[in-house]
Amino acid sequence: MGFQDTPEEWQVTATETPFTGNKTSVRTDEVVMPDGRVVRRDYQVHPGSVAVLALDDEGRVLVLRQYRHPVRHKLWEIPAGLLDIPGENPLHAAQRELYEEAHAKAEDWRVLTDVYTTPGGCDEAVRIFLARDLSEADGERFEVSEEEADMELARVPLQELVRGVLAGDLHNNCLVVGVLSLATVLAGDGIESLRPAEAPWPARPFKD
């Protein structure tokens, strides 16, 4: 069995949504603690996300550099995006993001890891895929706007990214988790040990 997270839900005596945004909202719950006290918990309600660690035949990872206003930084990231449609198959969303952000496609897809990004204040769940056998996408490039209009694209050796993470030079959650996970897999049981691309995802159940 080993260690594993387990679902659990404490009693909520009241709930409200003081803010609703374009994609996310803020919820306030009154939660009963184990000692019987009731406390308020505010958190962001998020539809969920997917991210893609795209690895080419030379062992390089496809990365993007994008401005992120909340942290006032341009961050190196891997392609990622929201699950725009409730119940959407995360693999389809990941394939869409790889096309839209990098104009690329992949023949081999596997689940690299699943994470909750900030479980103390947000219910966002992210599935990070490993994509291999890369090639340029068909058709015209997706028209980008806003922050994505200033986006840079590069291919960086995996070990260079690992060194950047450990040196404190790279901070994007999905990039950090993705490159360290892949480095661990390559040093251990190998890519064939990863889950298939359509593996169940209890945090965001999806249709085929």
Side-chain angles (χ1 to χ4, degrees):
M1 288 288 294
F3 291 103
Q4 64 184 46
D5 299 331
T6 55
E8 184 168 337
E9 188 168 353
W10 292 359
Q11 181 184 359
V12 175
T13 60
T15 186
E16 59 181 83
T17 304
F19 171 79
T20 300
N22 185 31
K23 295 291 185 180
T24 66
S25 60
V26 173
R27 182 175 297 161
T28 298
D29 288 343
E30 302 282 347
V31 187
V32 180
M33 296 289 107
D35 63 2
R37 291 184 305 139
V38 177
V39 301
R40 292 171 61 90
R41 290 291 178 261
D42 303 315
Y43 59 98
Q44 182 183 24
V45 178
H46 195 286
S49 306
V50 292
V52 184
L53 195 150
L55 186 70
D56 70 14
D57 294 338
E58 298 179 32
R60 300 175 302 175
V61 177
L62 194 158
V63 292
L64 312 163
R65 189 167 181 250
Q66 185 171 347
Y67 177 66
R68 293 301 187 182
H69 186 70
V71 295
R72 299 335 194 245
H73 270 70
K74 272 193 172 182
L75 301 179
W76 285 105
E77 307 179 352
I78 56 178
L82 298 175
L83 291 169
D84 293 326
I85 305 167
E88 180 179 18
N89 187 319
L91 174 60
H92 299 164
Q95 291 169 333
R96 180 182 68 239
E97 293 300 330
L98 185 60
Y99 158 68
E100 291 182 358
E101 296 194 347
H103 196 66
K105 61 181 180 180
E107 297 302 320
D108 184 75
W109 290 83
R110 298 161 195 266
V111 174
L112 186 55
T113 190
D114 299 325
V115 295
Y116 291 116
T117 54
T118 49
C122 179
D123 71 351
E124 181 183 15
V126 181
R127 169 157 282 188
I128 304 175
F129 289 90
L130 172 65
R132 298 187 301 162
D133 297 337
L134 305 181
S135 61
E136 185 174 348
D138 302 323
E140 297 182 359
R141 286 186 173 273
F142 182 78
E143 186 175 347
V144 296
S145 61
E146 300 174 353
E147 287 91 344
E148 293 182 352
D150 189 45
M151 204 158 51
E152 302 171 48
L153 178 66
R155 296 193 181 205
V156 181
L158 175 64
Q159 288 306 315
E160 184 175 337
L161 293 174
V162 171
R163 286 191 291 270
V165 168
L166 298 179
D169 296 331
L170 300 171
H171 307 90
N172 174 263
N173 181 287
C174 291
L175 183 146
V176 170
V177 173
V179 300
L180 295 183
S181 295
L182 180 57
T184 301
V185 167
L186 294 175
D189 295 333
I191 289 174
E192 294 302 321
S193 68
L194 292 173
R195 288 170 289 163
E198 301 274 5
W201 189 16
R204 292 295 185 274
F206 60 91
K207 305 169 186 175
D208 294 334

